[in-house]
Amino acid sequence: MMEVPGFEIKKTIGKGGMGTAYLAVQESLGRQVVLKTMNTGQADQTDFLERFLNEGRIVAALRHPNIITIFDIGATDELVYMSMEYVEGGDLKSKIAKGCTPDEALSVMERIASALEFAHREGVIHRDVKPANILFRNDGTPLLSDFGIAKQTRIDTELTSTGTILGSPFYMSPEQAEGHKVDGRADIYSLGIIFYEMLTGDRPYPGESAIKIIVQHIQSPIPDLPGSLGKFQPLLNQMIAKNREDRIPDAGAVVERVRELRRATVQQRPAPKVAVESPEQPASSSRAEGFVEHNKRALALGAMLLMLTLSYGGFYLYTQSLTRSTFARPSTAPVTVDGSTEGTAVVSSGSGVPAVTASTAPPSGGPDREEIIRALEWLAEARLKQDQLTEPPADNAHYYFSRLFPLDKEKAGRGFALIAERFVVLAEKQFSEKNYRQAQAYITLGLQVQPDNEGLLALQSFIDNREKSVLENLIDFFADKG
């Protein structure tokens, strides 16, 4: 176990990108504290160490009943540390999972907005307000914590790389997502997103990837609250307006609006739903019948899948021979519309897809048109699952969807969209790892398949803005020096 003079470390309670947190006892006072440490020997980038120390300095200077308390900042030969208040009441993320009443939501809003008002007045913008960073004392008092990426507006130096997007995508303001300079209204936006989540139990802009979530913050309309919560819609609209000029101007105004709502709101917690078993049938009998019924469905589904597998196996062999013959050597026979006579159609998808050829009629005795469509669709989806998007030649998802296009434009179009979405995921991963050249390569390939894909276009914009921001900051730097 790691040793820090003056503290008895009890256990590890968390690890993050900047260090490790321990539950410890401060020996001089006999009190429990959270000891947050960072190993200086592993800090290969100065800005991580500076950000760690910056958090301690910021929070130590912010004395407010709803901001976590810092007790001490120190260093040993191997690490730097800060000791802070230990709270046992959990975080807001856990409370939301259990369900919040409107009155509870307003209470948290009022106190955290008050903490933000104080921080903003002291020149500090949090930039990462989210449920996991709102903790509770045992008496229910909410505390704003984790100022690791906070920005001091009175200090000129930036602790983050130019163009880097910081914060959680689920709660990030549009201007922060686009890499622009932020002010206190970015924190108000994040608190507004939390307000929606406390009221409904859901995030307003869900998504399986960060880029899709960020695009929604920038482009999607403000969500509507359920009818029973309609009285809170005006406040929500003003807190999460896309344009910060349309938002509530400061956290103090949020506090006043919330107090007005609390005075006007009568709290009534909905009764929990209780499952009641039918008195006519024992629970064990009901479970047994459900088990039998479940297994019947499973057996039927298994038989169906077996039949489809055998059928598609035949389709695969046929289309492989078709690929080596008909698709590889287009005919000059006349094109037919109804597919009744043999011919070859030359078609362009109009979506960045090159001209392709496909037989409009199978050989005598072979599968019919619908069978060919199903076989091509199956092959394309199988290659998509294997991430064979555009390679190897003549055996990839794009190849088979292209062959499908003359036969079923709608299915092929959906296929091209799926390929583009996969390129979004691949590009986003490279972007997050700062492999910008590889991310750009994936974006380029994806846009060739689907030029109007929003995710790819948004990621392209981030890369363009990043390059632009680097240049602008260099210009500003040398202008300031002059």
Side-chain angles (χ1 to χ4, degrees):
M1 181 70 72
M2 180 178 294
E3 294 185 1
V4 179
F7 297 91
E8 180 186 356
I9 296 178
K10 295 294 187 180
K11 63 179 180 179
T12 301
I13 58 176
K15 290 187 177 181
M18 292 174 58
T20 304
Y22 301 94
L23 174 61
V25 174
Q26 186 178 359
E27 294 173 339
S28 61
L29 297 176
R31 66 181 172 190
Q32 286 188 323
V33 299
V34 172
L35 198 63
K36 197 170 181 180
T37 69
M38 179 175 178
N39 191 327
T40 56
Q42 296 178 353
D44 53 354
Q45 293 187 7
T46 305
D47 64 335
F48 283 105
L49 178 58
E50 182 61 24
R51 194 184 303 164
F52 182 89
L53 296 173
N54 183 64
E55 177 183 4
R57 289 192 293 264
I58 287 175
V59 183
L62 297 177
R63 297 301 180 93
H64 186 277
N66 298 112
I67 294 178
I68 198 87
T69 302
I70 292 288
F71 297 132
D72 186 29
I73 304 174
T76 67
D77 292 337
E78 297 181 352
L79 56 82
V80 293
Y81 67 87
M82 69 177 79
S83 66
M84 64 180 66
E85 177 181 4
Y86 173 60
V87 294
E88 301 179 84
D91 60 25
L92 182 58
K93 183 177 179 181
S94 300
K95 286 190 178 294
I96 291 175
K98 295 176 183 177
C100 291
T101 65
D103 190 58
E104 288 171 335
L106 290 172
S107 176
V108 172
M109 282 276 291
E110 179 181 348
R111 299 189 185 190
I112 297 302
S114 175
L116 288 173
E117 177 191 17
F118 178 78
H120 295 168
R121 193 166 62 242
E122 295 298 310
V124 176
I125 305 166
H126 192 285
R127 298 200 297 180
D128 196 21
V129 179
K130 59 185 180 183
N133 287 341
I134 297 175
L135 309 178
F136 292 88
R137 294 194 179 108
N138 283 335
D139 64 0
T141 301
L143 302 173
L144 185 60
S145 70
D146 202 343
F147 284 73
I149 65 170
K151 177 183 177 183
Q152 289 180 290
T153 57
R154 297 170 186 172
I155 299 178
D156 294 331
T157 56
E158 273 284 358
L159 297 178
T160 59
S161 302
T162 303
T164 300
I165 300 172
L166 296 175
S168 169
F170 287 110
Y171 308 95
M172 188 179 297
S173 68
E175 63 269 23
Q176 191 172 351
E178 292 181 303
H180 299 318
K181 292 182 178 180
V182 300
D183 57 23
R185 289 171 291 184
D187 288 343
I188 291 174
Y189 181 94
S190 300
L191 187 58
I193 296 294
I194 293 173
F195 185 39
Y196 179 93
E197 189 175 354
M198 285 192 291
L199 291 172
T200 66
D202 297 313
R203 292 165 176 157
Y205 302 125
E208 65 273 16
S209 67
I211 189 67
K212 290 183 179 180
I213 298 165
I214 288 172
V215 168
Q216 291 181 82
H217 279 292
I218 297 171
Q219 298 180 354
S220 296
I222 294 173
D224 292 327
L225 291 167
S228 60
L229 300 172
K231 68 181 76 173
F232 306 116
Q233 190 71 49
L235 174 59
L236 180 70
N237 291 348
Q238 289 185 314
M239 292 186 72
I240 63 173
K242 303 297 178 181
N243 186 343
R244 62 183 172 188
E245 298 299 329
D246 298 329
R247 278 178 225 150
I248 293 179
D250 58 75
V254 174
V255 173
E256 291 304 318
R257 291 291 308 279
V258 169
R259 286 174 179 169
E260 292 173 6
L261 282 170
R262 293 193 73 182
R263 287 192 291 267
T265 298
V266 177
Q267 170 57 33
Q268 183 177 4
R269 182 185 294 273
K273 295 181 180 180
V274 180
V276 180
E277 294 183 353
S278 171
E280 300 176 1
Q281 190 175 30
S284 58
S285 173
S286 176
R287 285 194 294 270
E289 289 189 7
F291 177 77
V292 172
E293 185 63 27
H294 171 78
N295 278 279
K296 285 181 180 178
R297 290 195 295 268
L299 289 171
L301 180 59
M304 184 182 298
L305 288 173
L306 178 61
M307 292 177 62
L308 288 173
T309 301
L310 293 173
S311 299
Y312 285 155
F315 296 156
Y316 174 82
L317 294 175
Y318 172 73
T319 52
Q320 286 294 85
S321 64
L322 198 64
T323 298
R324 291 192 293 269
S325 56
T326 307
F327 292 152
R329 296 185 298 275
S331 168
T332 56
V335 177
T336 61
V337 176
D338 58 7
S340 59
T341 61
E342 294 184 17
T344 301
V346 181
V347 182
S348 172
S349 72
S351 299
V353 180
V356 296
T357 61
S359 173
T360 56
S364 176
D368 62 20
R369 180 189 181 94
E370 290 304 314
E371 290 175 332
I372 296 173
I373 289 174
R374 288 196 296 271
L376 286 170
E377 187 177 16
W378 183 82
L379 287 169
E381 290 176 351
R383 298 303 176 268
L384 186 63
K385 290 177 181 178
Q386 296 165 357
D387 266 352
Q388 294 178 207
L389 305 180
T390 57
E391 295 289 340
D395 188 25
N396 58 71
H398 183 259
Y399 177 86
Y400 291 119
F401 279 126
S402 296
R403 269 62 195 158
L404 178 62
F405 188 84
L407 303 174
D408 193 322
K409 293 180 175 60
E410 184 176 350
K411 288 182 178 179
R414 288 198 296 267
F416 295 138
L418 289 173
I419 294 173
E421 286 301 312
R422 183 57 188 157
F423 275 121
V424 169
V425 175
L426 294 171
E428 181 190 2
K429 183 176 185 297
Q430 296 300 320
F431 184 85
S432 66
E433 295 174 357
K434 299 185 180 180
N435 298 327
Y436 301 118
R437 181 174 298 179
Q438 185 60 51
Q440 181 64 70
Y442 284 135
I443 293 170
T444 300
L445 287 170
L447 290 175
Q448 289 176 355
V449 175
Q450 192 182 38
D452 59 349
N453 183 275
E454 291 185 0
L456 290 167
L457 292 173
L459 194 51
Q460 180 70 72
S461 175
F462 288 138
I463 289 180
D464 292 343
N465 285 339
R466 175 184 174 276
E467 294 173 351
K468 181 180 177 182
S469 296
V470 170
L471 179 59
E472 288 176 345
N473 277 273
L474 285 173
I475 294 173
D476 290 343
F477 175 78
F478 286 111
D480 290 340
K481 292 293 185 182

